[in-house]
Amino acid sequence: MNVLVIGSGGREHALCWKIKQSDKVDRLYCAPGNGGISEIADCVDIKADDIDSLCSFAKENEIGLTIVGPEVPLVAGIIDRFNEEGLRIFGPDKYIAGLEGSKVFAKEAMSRFRIPTADFKVFDDPKEAKAYIKEKKAPLVIKADGLAAGKGVIVAKSEDEASSAVDLIMVEKKFGSSGDRIVIEDCLEGEEASVIVVTDGKGFLTFASSQDHKRALDDDMGPNTGGMGAYSPAPVVTGELENKVEERIINPLIRGFFAEGTPFKGVLYIGLMVVDSEPYALEFNVRFGDPETQAILPRLKTDLVNIVEASIDGGIDGIKLEWDKRPCICVVCASGGYPGGYKKGVPIYGLDETLKMKDVVVFHAGTKLTEGEYQTSGGRVLGITALGDNIKAAIDKAYEACDKINFEDMHYRKDIGYKALERVN
Ligand code: AMP
Ligand code: GLY
């Protein structure tokens, strides 16, 4: 079977790396891909949101299975379009993708299915929003309704900050029409973690837990980013907590949508806040996490293609996931200046050295291969990923590999995985 992966980041490199290991795959394509992906798949110069061209490509190249990495094409309805054309594709339809595309839709689903989450209210008028802020008192969380590349959520510690967030989103329209409506919700204090499941609409498989590191700098300082590193499993997600997440969040959501006649197929990513050992849903995404996927897939022994096909065709309950017990961590090496402006086209050195290391894999994100040389082409450049017998060993190995890599103004956090280390010691 020919397989097409859509996207160009570290997550897509990890997906291609894992899919390539499947006996079921003849040719692997990635659109548009990146420098690292081009070593293992045929990269096709089509953007991830160009649904028409992707559809034509899939038809012309007898693609038997398409796997979508990022949220934008899902929210734009790529699954509906491919299905109309009789093409096999993995993921939720446009309606269900609203769980990620609209915070209002997601919060309303949480209420309808009685899923534990922060109390909230929806506003389409900035004056009313500000009156509510005065009455409720900070801290509050202000969220643009629509997609905002992970930047549309502001945790406001004071009333002033909350009001400024309303102005930024609703008046200045920082995120365009994504800010026509906002959600204001109570601020929850606890530890965050991610749980990813794959569902066929009825049953589901819970993947190993993970934890992202969203801030740019050590000790969770600095601005928010797409994610500076991740590890799996996340010790904060104990077996008992995972049971609660399945019982209170995953089951009600999947059963709820099934009962409403709009089954959820694909990836459900739950952003959790764990407060006093109780799970609350902060957000839903409808695709694999980035960089969580880079830390999860090296631990997955089961064929990912079988899992994805079961999501499309049904029968996911018949699959048993097998995991490498060893923890895995992924440290993101970013361009100087990220998440702000940064230089591109900077040569990357030392990748060959990491190839010699056992249990280390370097997933490329913003890289390109030009005349045999790897260069930077984005903010997040590489995900240095390592397995270890314990979390300490995995951390040490990943940082040993980071030491071998070098490009101008490279920066990475030095504390990825330390929360896990504190919990297991
Ligand atoms: P979201 O995209 O909704 O997950 O929000 C992005 C980030 O904002 C989360 O990863 C949390 O760090 C933070 N956040 C969102 N909602 C809340 C909340 N109700 N309380 C505290 N922090 C939150
Ligand atoms: N790592 C966060 C996300 O993928 O949304």
Side-chain angles (χ1 to χ4, degrees), residues 103 118 141 143 153 155 185-188 192 214 273 282-283:
K103 302 269 187 210
V141 184
K143 301 184 171 185
V153 173
V155 180
E185 64 181 49
D186 292 354
C187 191
L188 299 174
E192 286 185 60
K214 290 203 165 113
M273 186 72 90
L282 285 185
E283 67 164 337

mmCIF file of all heavy atoms in Angstrom, residues 103 118 141 143 153 155 185-188 192 214 273 282-283, ligand 1:
data_model
loop_
_atom_site.group_PDB
_atom_site.id
_atom_site.type_symbol
_atom_site.label_atom_id
_atom_site.label_comp_id
_atom_site.label_asym_id
_atom_site.label_seq_id
_atom_site.Cartn_x
_atom_site.Cartn_y
_atom_site.Cartn_z
ATOM 1 N N LYS A 103 -13.094 26.574 20.505
ATOM 2 C CA LYS A 103 -13.089 26.340 21.962
ATOM 3 C C LYS A 103 -14.519 26.309 22.486
ATOM 4 O O LYS A 103 -14.818 25.616 23.456
ATOM 5 C CB LYS A 103 -12.321 27.449 22.679
ATOM 6 C CG LYS A 103 -10.892 27.612 22.222
ATOM 7 C CD LYS A 103 -9.937 26.782 23.027
ATOM 8 C CE LYS A 103 -8.513 27.087 22.657
ATOM 9 N NZ LYS A 103 -7.603 25.961 22.818
ATOM 10 N N ALA A 118 -12.870 23.338 33.602
ATOM 11 C CA ALA A 118 -13.028 24.600 34.328
ATOM 12 C C ALA A 118 -14.381 25.230 33.969
ATOM 13 O O ALA A 118 -14.803 25.156 32.807
ATOM 14 C CB ALA A 118 -11.891 25.538 33.936
ATOM 15 N N VAL A 141 -8.800 32.711 32.639
ATOM 16 C CA VAL A 141 -8.155 32.331 31.378
ATOM 17 C C VAL A 141 -9.047 32.805 30.233
ATOM 18 O O VAL A 141 -10.242 32.527 30.202
ATOM 19 C CB VAL A 141 -7.923 30.807 31.323
ATOM 20 C CG1 VAL A 141 -7.160 30.441 30.056
ATOM 21 C CG2 VAL A 141 -7.157 30.339 32.553
ATOM 22 N N LYS A 143 -9.715 32.830 26.202
ATOM 23 C CA LYS A 143 -9.386 31.993 25.040
ATOM 24 C C LYS A 143 -10.113 32.471 23.795
ATOM 25 O O LYS A 143 -11.344 32.552 23.789
ATOM 26 C CB LYS A 143 -9.796 30.539 25.297
ATOM 27 C CG LYS A 143 -9.126 29.914 26.517
ATOM 28 C CD LYS A 143 -9.475 28.443 26.675
ATOM 29 C CE LYS A 143 -8.613 27.825 27.772
ATOM 30 N NZ LYS A 143 -8.797 26.385 27.903
ATOM 31 N N VAL A 153 -4.564 31.574 23.832
ATOM 32 C CA VAL A 153 -4.985 31.397 25.229
ATOM 33 C C VAL A 153 -4.116 32.279 26.122
ATOM 34 O O VAL A 153 -2.891 32.207 26.063
ATOM 35 C CB VAL A 153 -4.840 29.916 25.663
ATOM 36 C CG1 VAL A 153 -5.104 29.754 27.147
ATOM 37 C CG2 VAL A 153 -5.768 29.036 24.836
ATOM 38 N N VAL A 155 -3.474 33.314 30.069
ATOM 39 C CA VAL A 155 -3.743 33.082 31.486
ATOM 40 C C VAL A 155 -3.484 34.423 32.178
ATOM 41 O O VAL A 155 -2.349 34.880 32.264
ATOM 42 C CB VAL A 155 -2.837 31.967 32.060
ATOM 43 C CG1 VAL A 155 -3.120 31.738 33.538
ATOM 44 C CG2 VAL A 155 -3.021 30.666 31.266
ATOM 45 N N GLU A 185 -12.634 31.368 31.253
ATOM 46 C CA GLU A 185 -12.829 30.261 32.196
ATOM 47 C C GLU A 185 -11.994 30.411 33.449
ATOM 48 O O GLU A 185 -11.027 31.183 33.488
ATOM 49 C CB GLU A 185 -12.612 28.910 31.514
ATOM 50 C CG GLU A 185 -11.229 28.656 31.000
ATOM 51 C CD GLU A 185 -11.122 27.280 30.320
ATOM 52 O OE1 GLU A 185 -11.971 26.952 29.474
ATOM 53 O OE2 GLU A 185 -10.172 26.551 30.646
ATOM 54 N N ASP A 186 -12.409 29.681 34.475
ATOM 55 C CA ASP A 186 -11.686 29.703 35.743
ATOM 56 C C ASP A 186 -10.293 29.131 35.540
ATOM 57 O O ASP A 186 -10.100 28.238 34.718
ATOM 58 C CB ASP A 186 -12.416 28.869 36.801
ATOM 59 C CG ASP A 186 -13.741 29.501 37.193
ATOM 60 O OD1 ASP A 186 -14.019 30.628 36.727
ATOM 61 O OD2 ASP A 186 -14.491 28.859 37.946
ATOM 62 N N CYS A 187 -9.361 29.654 36.304
ATOM 63 C CA CYS A 187 -7.976 29.200 36.199
ATOM 64 C C CYS A 187 -7.778 28.005 37.132
ATOM 65 O O CYS A 187 -8.073 28.089 38.324
ATOM 66 C CB CYS A 187 -7.058 30.359 36.596
ATOM 67 S SG CYS A 187 -5.363 30.030 36.225
ATOM 68 N N LEU A 188 -7.300 26.912 36.582
ATOM 69 C CA LEU A 188 -7.041 25.717 37.386
ATOM 70 C C LEU A 188 -5.556 25.654 37.714
ATOM 71 O O LEU A 188 -4.719 25.950 36.860
ATOM 72 C CB LEU A 188 -7.445 24.461 36.611
ATOM 73 C CG LEU A 188 -8.913 24.342 36.214
ATOM 74 C CD1 LEU A 188 -9.132 23.122 35.323
ATOM 75 C CD2 LEU A 188 -9.802 24.242 37.454
ATOM 76 N N GLU A 192 0.123 19.785 34.368
ATOM 77 C CA GLU A 192 -0.461 19.408 33.076
ATOM 78 C C GLU A 192 0.141 18.107 32.555
ATOM 79 O O GLU A 192 1.287 17.781 32.845
ATOM 80 C CB GLU A 192 -0.198 20.511 32.049
ATOM 81 C CG GLU A 192 -1.064 21.729 32.274
ATOM 82 C CD GLU A 192 -0.880 22.761 31.182
ATOM 83 O OE1 GLU A 192 -1.138 22.444 30.012
ATOM 84 O OE2 GLU A 192 -0.474 23.891 31.503
ATOM 85 N N LYS A 214 5.865 23.787 27.391
ATOM 86 C CA LYS A 214 5.413 24.808 26.427
ATOM 87 C C LYS A 214 6.247 26.081 26.436
ATOM 88 O O LYS A 214 6.361 26.755 25.419
ATOM 89 C CB LYS A 214 3.952 25.160 26.702
ATOM 90 C CG LYS A 214 3.033 24.015 26.338
ATOM 91 C CD LYS A 214 1.613 24.459 26.056
ATOM 92 C CE LYS A 214 0.844 23.369 25.366
ATOM 93 N NZ LYS A 214 -0.237 22.772 26.088
ATOM 94 N N MET A 273 -5.364 18.990 33.095
ATOM 95 C CA MET A 273 -4.774 19.588 34.296
ATOM 96 C C MET A 273 -5.113 18.621 35.428
ATOM 97 O O MET A 273 -6.288 18.272 35.626
ATOM 98 C CB MET A 273 -5.379 20.971 34.563
ATOM 99 C CG MET A 273 -4.723 21.701 35.709
ATOM 100 S SD MET A 273 -3.056 22.281 35.299
ATOM 101 C CE MET A 273 -3.381 23.902 34.641
ATOM 102 N N LEU A 282 -8.530 20.411 29.843
ATOM 103 C CA LEU A 282 -8.257 21.819 29.490
ATOM 104 C C LEU A 282 -8.601 22.056 28.037
ATOM 105 O O LEU A 282 -9.121 23.095 27.671
ATOM 106 C CB LEU A 282 -6.767 22.141 29.651
ATOM 107 C CG LEU A 282 -6.187 22.320 31.029
ATOM 108 C CD1 LEU A 282 -4.734 22.746 30.897
ATOM 109 C CD2 LEU A 282 -6.973 23.353 31.817
ATOM 110 N N GLU A 283 -8.230 21.105 27.201
ATOM 111 C CA GLU A 283 -8.460 21.275 25.764
ATOM 112 C C GLU A 283 -8.504 19.920 25.097
ATOM 113 O O GLU A 283 -7.987 18.929 25.625
ATOM 114 C CB GLU A 283 -7.327 22.091 25.128
ATOM 115 C CG GLU A 283 -6.000 21.367 25.138
ATOM 116 C CD GLU A 283 -4.941 21.939 24.215
ATOM 117 O OE1 GLU A 283 -5.282 22.618 23.240
ATOM 118 O OE2 GLU A 283 -3.754 21.684 24.479
HETATM 119 P P1 AMP B 1 -5.389 25.266 25.688
HETATM 120 O O1 AMP B 1 -4.986 25.547 24.261
HETATM 121 O O2 AMP B 1 -6.835 25.487 25.955
HETATM 122 O O3 AMP B 1 -4.864 23.990 26.242
HETATM 123 O O4 AMP B 1 -4.551 26.303 26.548
HETATM 124 C C1 AMP B 1 -3.148 26.438 26.407
HETATM 125 C C2 AMP B 1 -2.499 26.444 27.753
HETATM 126 O O5 AMP B 1 -3.118 27.438 28.586
HETATM 127 C C3 AMP B 1 -2.658 25.148 28.531
HETATM 128 O O6 AMP B 1 -1.686 24.219 28.159
HETATM 129 C C4 AMP B 1 -2.518 25.642 29.944
HETATM 130 O O7 AMP B 1 -1.162 25.842 30.281
HETATM 131 C C5 AMP B 1 -3.193 26.985 29.920
HETATM 132 N N1 AMP B 1 -4.611 26.869 30.316
HETATM 133 C C6 AMP B 1 -5.689 26.688 29.517
HETATM 134 N N2 AMP B 1 -6.824 26.634 30.220
HETATM 135 C C7 AMP B 1 -6.486 26.788 31.512
HETATM 136 C C8 AMP B 1 -7.215 26.822 32.745
HETATM 137 N N3 AMP B 1 -8.548 26.727 32.788
HETATM 138 N N4 AMP B 1 -6.512 26.997 33.881
HETATM 139 C C9 AMP B 1 -5.161 27.121 33.871
HETATM 140 N N5 AMP B 1 -4.421 27.107 32.754
HETATM 141 C C10 AMP B 1 -5.067 26.943 31.584
#
